[in-house]
Amino acid sequence: MAAVQLKNIVKHYEQTPVVHGIDLDIADGEFVVLVGPSGCGKSTLMRMVAGLEEITAGDFYIGGQRANDLPAQQRNIAMVFQSYALYPHLTVYENIAFGPKLRREPETSYRPRIEAAAKMLNLVPYLDRLPKALSGGQRQRVAMGRAVVREPALFLFDEPLSNLDAKLRVQMRAEIKSLHQRLKNTVMYVTHDQIEAMTMGDRIVVMNAGRIEQVGKPLDLYDRPANLFVASFIGSPGMNLIAGILSMEEGQPCLRTANNLRIPVPVSSARQGQAITLGIRPEHVVARPSGIASISTDVSTSVSMSIDSIEPTGAETYFYGNLDGILNEHTCCLASRERLSVRTGEKLPLHFPIELCHLFDSQTGLRLN
Ligand code: ADP
């Protein structure tokens, strides 16, 4: 077990900076997910932690010890990659035993660990099989078994589920989480998939272009994104974002769009005329059935969406379209658990409950409410 600290970690490849000063404290036993778009530096950060890549500047501590210059094999870290890298000519048992055998541990010492890992990972019936006779999920579990028998202080997972089909991914997600609950080990887990991040992490680190945008518990990031990047990255379908300027209408702060659409906004610290962006999650947009004239707001707002496409998922239906008066630049999404009887081409009046709206400074991207 080990706590991990990253202090102002920087990475340059040749002269090109790719990681720009990362500060992060991970508690002993914590499951932390690094998430961000491809190329934002997640793998580079993990490789520096693993000792596979030199740290250009900054300090890295594991279990309270500075480990910048510690060779990879002395860091007591196990890594599971996207490609399982199993030896095709070795059985499951031999694959899992490979590390201890290489270190010349006697079999009497490592066999019980392998048996325990195989039991935990449901691999007991497959110990004598070759990897080619296993499914993708089983191979991934063998790769995890190999990591588990090392009894490492820290587990690193780098996109371990990317090669699996959707159903298996959901299953393995749950397995990795339950493995963590049993072993109570420290985990750093990299993914570009925000659903994976939301469902697995005790905390999520959202990265973008070599920097941390926000660190927090999954629902805190979802409910109060600190900036436009996190707002648009976390959540699927993504948060609706509508740009305009702040204007006071009959004492009520409103977002006024280029086409004079007015939407009341929650605001504490913005100035009149400031460029602002309103955000609202698809499930918070309310469809106003036609016939009910208005839902009381201080300012009369009439936003309606011309529906372009309808996607029923079963539990929810997504309605996509353009908001009137906002030309074609914005597609809005409404997620509804009700099976509304509207069709593509029709207009749907919408209401944005003010208490569920997010507000951002369009220039800095920072949250305003
Ligand atoms: P992620 O894992 O988030 O997709 P990476 O850490 O792989 O991102 O890459 C971060 C940036 O560093 C990218 O711009 C990538 O092109 C660059 N990069 C990664 N590895 C190398 C390398 N060995 N040499 C030069 N540039 C690299």
Side-chain angles (χ1 to χ4, degrees), residues 2-9 21-34 45 49 58-65 154 186-188 202-207 212 214-217:
V4 173
Q5 277 140 0
L6 305 176
K7 292 193 194 298
N8 203 14
I9 296 287
I22 296 280
D23 288 302
L24 182 65
D25 275 5
I26 302 176
D28 186 14
E30 198 178 13
F31 195 126
V32 166
V33 179
L34 306 178
L45 196 60
V49 168
D59 298 300
F60 163 58
Y61 297 86
I62 180 161
Q65 264 197 320
L154 172 66
T186 311
V187 176
M188 288 178 77
D202 293 328
R203 278 193 306 157
I204 298 178
V205 178
V206 181
M207 287 182 65
I212 291 180
Q214 191 174 2
V215 182
K217 291 186 183 150

CSV table of all heavy atoms in Angstrom, one decimal, residues 2-9 21-34 45 49 58-65 154 186-188 202-207 212 214-217:
chain,number,residue,atom,x,y,z
A,2,ALA,N,0.4,2.3,-0.6
A,2,ALA,CA,1.2,3.5,-0.7
A,2,ALA,C,0.4,4.7,-1.1
A,2,ALA,O,-0.5,4.6,-2.0
A,2,ALA,CB,2.3,3.3,-1.7
A,3,ALA,N,0.7,5.8,-0.4
A,3,ALA,CA,0.2,7.1,-0.9
A,3,ALA,C,1.1,7.6,-2.0
A,3,ALA,O,2.3,7.2,-2.0
A,3,ALA,CB,0.1,8.1,0.2
A,4,VAL,N,0.6,8.4,-2.9
A,4,VAL,CA,1.4,8.9,-4.0
A,4,VAL,C,1.2,10.4,-4.0
A,4,VAL,O,0.2,11.0,-3.8
A,4,VAL,CB,0.8,8.4,-5.3
A,4,VAL,CG1,1.5,9.0,-6.5
A,4,VAL,CG2,1.0,6.8,-5.4
A,5,GLN,N,2.4,11.1,-4.2
A,5,GLN,CA,2.3,12.6,-4.4
A,5,GLN,C,3.1,13.0,-5.6
A,5,GLN,O,4.2,12.6,-5.8
A,5,GLN,CB,3.0,13.3,-3.1
A,5,GLN,CG,2.0,13.4,-2.0
A,5,GLN,CD,2.7,13.1,-0.7
A,5,GLN,OE1,3.9,12.8,-0.6
A,5,GLN,NE2,2.0,13.2,0.4
A,6,LEU,N,2.5,13.9,-6.4
A,6,LEU,CA,3.1,14.5,-7.5
A,6,LEU,C,3.2,16.0,-7.2
A,6,LEU,O,2.2,16.6,-6.9
A,6,LEU,CB,2.3,14.2,-8.8
A,6,LEU,CG,1.9,12.8,-9.1
A,6,LEU,CD1,1.0,12.7,-10.4
A,6,LEU,CD2,3.2,12.0,-9.4
A,7,LYS,N,4.4,16.5,-7.3
A,7,LYS,CA,4.6,17.9,-7.0
A,7,LYS,C,5.2,18.6,-8.2
A,7,LYS,O,6.3,18.4,-8.5
A,7,LYS,CB,5.5,18.1,-5.8
A,7,LYS,CG,4.8,17.6,-4.5
A,7,LYS,CD,5.6,18.1,-3.3
A,7,LYS,CE,5.2,17.4,-2.0
A,7,LYS,NZ,3.8,17.6,-1.6
A,8,ASN,N,4.4,19.4,-8.9
A,8,ASN,CA,4.8,20.2,-10.0
A,8,ASN,C,5.6,19.4,-11.0
A,8,ASN,O,6.7,19.8,-11.5
A,8,ASN,CB,5.7,21.4,-9.5
A,8,ASN,CG,5.8,22.5,-10.4
A,8,ASN,OD1,5.0,22.6,-11.4
A,8,ASN,ND2,6.7,23.4,-10.3
A,9,ILE,N,5.0,18.3,-11.4
A,9,ILE,CA,5.6,17.4,-12.4
A,9,ILE,C,5.5,17.9,-13.8
A,9,ILE,O,4.5,18.3,-14.3
A,9,ILE,CB,4.9,16.0,-12.3
A,9,ILE,CG1,5.1,15.3,-11.0
A,9,ILE,CG2,5.4,15.1,-13.5
A,9,ILE,CD1,6.5,14.8,-10.7
A,21,GLY,N,3.4,20.8,-15.1
A,21,GLY,CA,3.3,21.1,-13.7
A,21,GLY,C,2.1,20.5,-13.1
A,21,GLY,O,1.1,21.3,-12.8
A,22,ILE,N,2.1,19.2,-12.9
A,22,ILE,CA,0.9,18.5,-12.3
A,22,ILE,C,1.2,18.4,-10.8
A,22,ILE,O,2.2,17.9,-10.3
A,22,ILE,CB,0.8,17.1,-12.9
A,22,ILE,CG1,0.5,17.2,-14.4
A,22,ILE,CG2,-0.2,16.3,-12.1
A,22,ILE,CD1,-0.9,17.5,-14.7
A,23,ASP,N,0.2,18.8,-10.0
A,23,ASP,CA,0.2,18.6,-8.5
A,23,ASP,C,-1.0,17.7,-8.2
A,23,ASP,O,-2.1,18.0,-8.6
A,23,ASP,CB,0.0,19.9,-7.8
A,23,ASP,CG,1.2,20.8,-7.9
A,23,ASP,OD1,2.3,20.4,-7.4
A,23,ASP,OD2,1.1,21.9,-8.4
A,24,LEU,N,-0.7,16.6,-7.5
A,24,LEU,CA,-1.8,15.7,-7.2
A,24,LEU,C,-1.3,14.8,-6.0
A,24,LEU,O,-0.2,14.3,-5.9
A,24,LEU,CB,-2.0,14.8,-8.4
A,24,LEU,CG,-3.1,13.7,-8.3
A,24,LEU,CD1,-4.5,14.4,-8.2
A,24,LEU,CD2,-3.2,12.8,-9.6
A,25,ASP,N,-2.3,14.7,-5.0
A,25,ASP,CA,-2.0,13.8,-3.8
A,25,ASP,C,-3.0,12.7,-3.9
A,25,ASP,O,-4.2,13.0,-4.0
A,25,ASP,CB,-2.3,14.6,-2.5
A,25,ASP,CG,-1.1,15.4,-2.1
A,25,ASP,OD1,-0.1,15.4,-2.8
A,25,ASP,OD2,-1.1,16.0,-1.0
A,26,ILE,N,-2.5,11.5,-3.8
A,26,ILE,CA,-3.4,10.3,-3.9
A,26,ILE,C,-3.2,9.6,-2.5
A,26,ILE,O,-2.1,9.3,-2.1
A,26,ILE,CB,-3.1,9.4,-5.0
A,26,ILE,CG1,-3.2,10.2,-6.4
A,26,ILE,CG2,-4.0,8.1,-5.0
A,26,ILE,CD1,-2.8,9.4,-7.6
A,27,ALA,N,-4.4,9.4,-1.8
A,27,ALA,CA,-4.3,8.8,-0.5
A,27,ALA,C,-4.0,7.3,-0.6
A,27,ALA,O,-4.4,6.7,-1.7
A,27,ALA,CB,-5.6,9.0,0.3
A,28,ASP,N,-3.5,6.7,0.4
A,28,ASP,CA,-3.3,5.2,0.4
A,28,ASP,C,-4.6,4.5,0.3
A,28,ASP,O,-5.6,4.9,1.0
A,28,ASP,CB,-2.7,4.9,1.8
A,28,ASP,CG,-2.3,3.4,1.9
A,28,ASP,OD1,-2.2,2.7,0.9
A,28,ASP,OD2,-2.0,3.0,3.0
A,29,GLY,N,-4.8,3.6,-0.7
A,29,GLY,CA,-6.0,2.9,-0.9
A,29,GLY,C,-7.0,3.6,-1.8
A,29,GLY,O,-8.1,3.0,-2.0
A,30,GLU,N,-6.7,4.7,-2.3
A,30,GLU,CA,-7.6,5.5,-3.1
A,30,GLU,C,-7.6,5.0,-4.5
A,30,GLU,O,-6.6,4.6,-5.0
A,30,GLU,CB,-7.3,7.0,-3.0
A,30,GLU,CG,-8.4,7.9,-3.5
A,30,GLU,CD,-8.1,9.4,-3.4
A,30,GLU,OE1,-6.9,9.7,-3.2
A,30,GLU,OE2,-9.0,10.1,-3.5
A,31,PHE,N,-8.8,5.1,-5.2
A,31,PHE,CA,-8.9,4.7,-6.6
A,31,PHE,C,-9.1,6.1,-7.4
A,31,PHE,O,-10.1,6.7,-7.3
A,31,PHE,CB,-10.1,3.8,-6.8
A,31,PHE,CG,-10.2,3.1,-8.1
A,31,PHE,CD1,-10.3,1.7,-8.2
A,31,PHE,CD2,-10.1,3.8,-9.3
A,31,PHE,CE1,-10.4,1.0,-9.4
A,31,PHE,CE2,-10.2,3.1,-10.5
A,31,PHE,CZ,-10.3,1.7,-10.6
A,32,VAL,N,-8.0,6.5,-8.1
A,32,VAL,CA,-8.1,7.8,-8.8
A,32,VAL,C,-8.1,7.5,-10.3
A,32,VAL,O,-7.3,6.7,-10.8
A,32,VAL,CB,-6.9,8.6,-8.4
A,32,VAL,CG1,-6.7,9.8,-9.3
A,32,VAL,CG2,-7.1,9.2,-7.0
A,33,VAL,N,-9.0,8.1,-11.0
A,33,VAL,CA,-9.1,8.0,-12.4
A,33,VAL,C,-8.6,9.3,-13.1
A,33,VAL,O,-9.0,10.4,-12.8
A,33,VAL,CB,-10.5,7.7,-12.9
A,33,VAL,CG1,-10.6,7.6,-14.4
A,33,VAL,CG2,-11.0,6.4,-12.2
A,34,LEU,N,-7.6,9.1,-14.0
A,34,LEU,CA,-7.2,10.2,-14.9
A,34,LEU,C,-8.0,10.2,-16.2
A,34,LEU,O,-7.9,9.1,-16.9
A,34,LEU,CB,-5.7,10.1,-15.2
A,34,LEU,CG,-4.7,10.0,-14.1
A,34,LEU,CD1,-3.3,9.9,-14.6
A,34,LEU,CD2,-4.8,11.2,-13.2
A,45,LEU,N,2.1,10.7,-18.0
A,45,LEU,CA,2.1,10.9,-16.5
A,45,LEU,C,2.2,9.5,-15.9
A,45,LEU,O,3.0,9.3,-14.9
A,45,LEU,CB,0.8,11.6,-16.1
A,45,LEU,CG,0.8,12.1,-14.6
A,45,LEU,CD1,1.9,13.2,-14.5
A,45,LEU,CD2,-0.6,12.7,-14.3
A,49,VAL,N,5.2,7.8,-13.5
A,49,VAL,CA,5.0,7.2,-12.2
A,49,VAL,C,5.6,5.7,-12.2
A,49,VAL,O,6.2,5.3,-11.2
A,49,VAL,CB,3.5,7.2,-11.9
A,49,VAL,CG1,3.2,6.3,-10.7
A,49,VAL,CG2,3.0,8.6,-11.6
A,58,GLY,N,10.2,18.4,-11.2
A,58,GLY,CA,9.2,18.2,-10.2
A,58,GLY,C,9.6,17.0,-9.3
A,58,GLY,O,10.6,16.4,-9.5
A,59,ASP,N,8.8,16.7,-8.3
A,59,ASP,CA,9.1,15.6,-7.4
A,59,ASP,C,7.9,14.6,-7.3
A,59,ASP,O,6.8,15.0,-7.2
A,59,ASP,CB,9.2,16.2,-6.0
A,59,ASP,CG,10.4,17.2,-5.9
A,59,ASP,OD1,11.6,16.7,-6.2
A,59,ASP,OD2,10.2,18.3,-5.6
A,60,PHE,N,8.3,13.3,-7.3
A,60,PHE,CA,7.4,12.2,-7.2
A,60,PHE,C,7.7,11.4,-6.0
A,60,PHE,O,8.8,11.0,-5.8
A,60,PHE,CB,7.5,11.4,-8.5
A,60,PHE,CG,6.9,10.0,-8.4
A,60,PHE,CD1,5.6,9.9,-8.1
A,60,PHE,CD2,7.7,8.9,-8.6
A,60,PHE,CE1,5.0,8.6,-8.0
A,60,PHE,CE2,7.1,7.6,-8.5
A,60,PHE,CZ,5.7,7.5,-8.2
A,61,TYR,N,6.7,11.2,-5.1
A,61,TYR,CA,6.8,10.5,-3.9
A,61,TYR,C,5.9,9.3,-3.9
A,61,TYR,O,4.7,9.4,-4.3
A,61,TYR,CB,6.5,11.3,-2.7
A,61,TYR,CG,7.4,12.5,-2.5
A,61,TYR,CD1,7.1,13.7,-3.1
A,61,TYR,CD2,8.5,12.4,-1.6
A,61,TYR,CE1,7.9,14.8,-2.9
A,61,TYR,CE2,9.3,13.5,-1.4
A,61,TYR,CZ,9.0,14.7,-2.1
A,61,TYR,OH,9.9,15.8,-1.9
A,62,ILE,N,6.4,8.1,-3.5
A,62,ILE,CA,5.5,7.0,-3.3
A,62,ILE,C,5.8,6.4,-1.8
A,62,ILE,O,7.0,6.3,-1.5
A,62,ILE,CB,5.8,5.9,-4.4
A,62,ILE,CG1,4.8,4.7,-4.2
A,62,ILE,CG2,7.2,5.5,-4.5
A,62,ILE,CD1,4.6,3.9,-5.4
A,63,GLY,N,4.7,6.3,-1.1
A,63,GLY,CA,4.9,5.9,0.3
A,63,GLY,C,5.8,6.8,1.1
A,63,GLY,O,6.5,6.4,2.0
A,64,GLY,N,5.7,8.1,0.7
A,64,GLY,CA,6.5,9.1,1.5
A,64,GLY,C,7.9,9.3,1.0
A,64,GLY,O,8.6,10.2,1.5
A,65,GLN,N,8.4,8.4,0.1
A,65,GLN,CA,9.8,8.4,-0.3
A,65,GLN,C,9.9,9.1,-1.7
A,65,GLN,O,9.1,8.7,-2.6
A,65,GLN,CB,10.3,7.0,-0.5
A,65,GLN,CG,11.0,6.5,0.7
A,65,GLN,CD,11.8,5.2,0.3
A,65,GLN,OE1,11.3,4.4,-0.4
A,65,GLN,NE2,13.0,5.1,0.9
A,154,LEU,N,1.2,-0.1,-5.6
A,154,LEU,CA,0.4,0.8,-6.4
A,154,LEU,C,0.1,0.0,-7.8
A,154,LEU,O,1.0,-0.6,-8.4
A,154,LEU,CB,1.2,2.0,-6.7
A,154,LEU,CG,0.6,3.0,-7.8
A,154,LEU,CD1,-0.7,3.7,-7.3
A,154,LEU,CD2,1.7,4.1,-8.0
A,186,THR,N,-3.9,1.0,-3.7
A,186,THR,CA,-3.9,2.4,-4.3
A,186,THR,C,-3.9,2.1,-5.8
A,186,THR,O,-3.2,1.3,-6.3
A,186,THR,CB,-2.7,3.2,-3.9
A,186,THR,OG1,-2.5,3.1,-2.5
A,186,THR,CG2,-2.8,4.6,-4.4
A,187,VAL,N,-4.8,2.8,-6.5
A,187,VAL,CA,-5.0,2.6,-8.0
A,187,VAL,C,-4.9,4.0,-8.7
A,187,VAL,O,-5.6,4.9,-8.3
A,187,VAL,CB,-6.3,1.9,-8.3
A,187,VAL,CG1,-6.5,1.8,-9.8
A,187,VAL,CG2,-6.4,0.6,-7.7
A,188,MET,N,-4.1,4.0,-9.8
A,188,MET,CA,-4.2,5.1,-10.8
A,188,MET,C,-4.7,4.5,-12.0
A,188,MET,O,-4.1,3.5,-12.5
A,188,MET,CB,-2.9,5.8,-11.0
A,188,MET,CG,-2.4,6.6,-9.8
A,188,MET,SD,-0.8,7.4,-10.1
A,188,MET,CE,-1.2,8.7,-11.3
A,202,ASP,N,-12.9,6.9,-7.0
A,202,ASP,CA,-13.2,7.6,-5.8
A,202,ASP,C,-13.1,9.1,-6.1
A,202,ASP,O,-13.9,9.9,-5.7
A,202,ASP,CB,-12.2,7.3,-4.7
A,202,ASP,CG,-12.3,5.8,-4.2
A,202,ASP,OD1,-13.4,5.3,-4.3
A,202,ASP,OD2,-11.2,5.3,-3.8
A,203,ARG,N,-12.1,9.4,-6.9
A,203,ARG,CA,-11.9,10.8,-7.4
A,203,ARG,C,-11.5,10.7,-8.8
A,203,ARG,O,-10.9,9.8,-9.3
A,203,ARG,CB,-10.8,11.5,-6.6
A,203,ARG,CG,-11.4,12.1,-5.3
A,203,ARG,CD,-10.4,13.1,-4.7
A,203,ARG,NE,-9.1,12.5,-4.5
A,203,ARG,CZ,-7.9,13.2,-4.4
A,203,ARG,NH1,-8.0,14.5,-4.5
A,203,ARG,NH2,-6.8,12.6,-4.3
A,204,ILE,N,-11.9,11.8,-9.5
A,204,ILE,CA,-11.5,11.9,-10.9
A,204,ILE,C,-10.6,13.1,-11.1
A,204,ILE,O,-10.8,14.2,-10.5
A,204,ILE,CB,-12.8,12.1,-11.8
A,204,ILE,CG1,-13.7,10.9,-11.7
A,204,ILE,CG2,-12.4,12.4,-13.3
A,204,ILE,CD1,-15.0,11.1,-12.5
A,205,VAL,N,-9.6,12.9,-11.9
A,205,VAL,CA,-8.7,14.0,-12.3
A,205,VAL,C,-9.0,14.3,-13.8
A,205,VAL,O,-8.7,13.4,-14.6
A,205,VAL,CB,-7.2,13.6,-12.1
A,205,VAL,CG1,-6.3,14.7,-12.6
A,205,VAL,CG2,-7.0,13.2,-10.7
A,206,VAL,N,-9.5,15.5,-14.1
A,206,VAL,CA,-9.8,15.8,-15.5
A,206,VAL,C,-8.6,16.5,-16.1
A,206,VAL,O,-8.2,17.6,-15.5
A,206,VAL,CB,-11.1,16.6,-15.7
A,206,VAL,CG1,-11.3,16.9,-17.2
A,206,VAL,CG2,-12.3,15.9,-15.1
A,207,MET,N,-8.0,16.0,-17.1
A,207,MET,CA,-6.8,16.6,-17.7
A,207,MET,C,-7.1,17.1,-19.1
A,207,MET,O,-8.0,16.6,-19.8
A,207,MET,CB,-5.6,15.6,-17.8
A,207,MET,CG,-5.0,15.2,-16.5
A,207,MET,SD,-3.6,14.1,-16.7
A,207,MET,CE,-2.5,15.1,-17.7
A,212,ILE,N,-4.1,19.9,-15.3
A,212,ILE,CA,-5.3,19.4,-14.6
A,212,ILE,C,-6.3,20.5,-14.6
A,212,ILE,O,-6.0,21.7,-14.3
A,212,ILE,CB,-5.0,19.0,-13.1
A,212,ILE,CG1,-4.1,17.8,-13.1
A,212,ILE,CG2,-6.3,18.8,-12.3
A,212,ILE,CD1,-3.7,17.3,-11.7
A,214,GLN,N,-9.6,20.0,-13.3
A,214,GLN,CA,-10.4,19.9,-12.0
A,214,GLN,C,-10.1,18.5,-11.4
A,214,GLN,O,-10.0,17.5,-12.1
A,214,GLN,CB,-11.9,20.1,-12.3
A,214,GLN,CG,-12.7,20.2,-11.0
A,214,GLN,CD,-14.2,20.6,-11.3
A,214,GLN,OE1,-14.6,20.7,-12.4
A,214,GLN,NE2,-14.9,20.8,-10.2
A,215,VAL,N,-10.1,18.4,-10.1
A,215,VAL,CA,-10.1,17.1,-9.4
A,215,VAL,C,-11.2,17.1,-8.4
A,215,VAL,O,-11.5,18.1,-7.7
A,215,VAL,CB,-8.8,17.1,-8.5
A,215,VAL,CG1,-8.7,15.7,-7.8
A,215,VAL,CG2,-7.5,17.3,-9.4
A,216,GLY,N,-12.0,16.0,-8.4
A,216,GLY,CA,-13.1,15.9,-7.4
A,216,GLY,C,-13.8,14.6,-7.5
A,216,GLY,O,-13.4,13.7,-8.3
A,217,LYS,N,-14.7,14.4,-6.6
A,217,LYS,CA,-15.6,13.2,-6.6
A,217,LYS,C,-16.4,13.2,-7.9
A,217,LYS,O,-16.8,14.3,-8.3
A,217,LYS,CB,-16.5,13.1,-5.4
A,217,LYS,CG,-15.7,12.9,-4.1
A,217,LYS,CD,-16.6,12.7,-3.0
A,217,LYS,CE,-15.8,12.5,-1.7
A,217,LYS,NZ,-16.5,13.1,-0.5
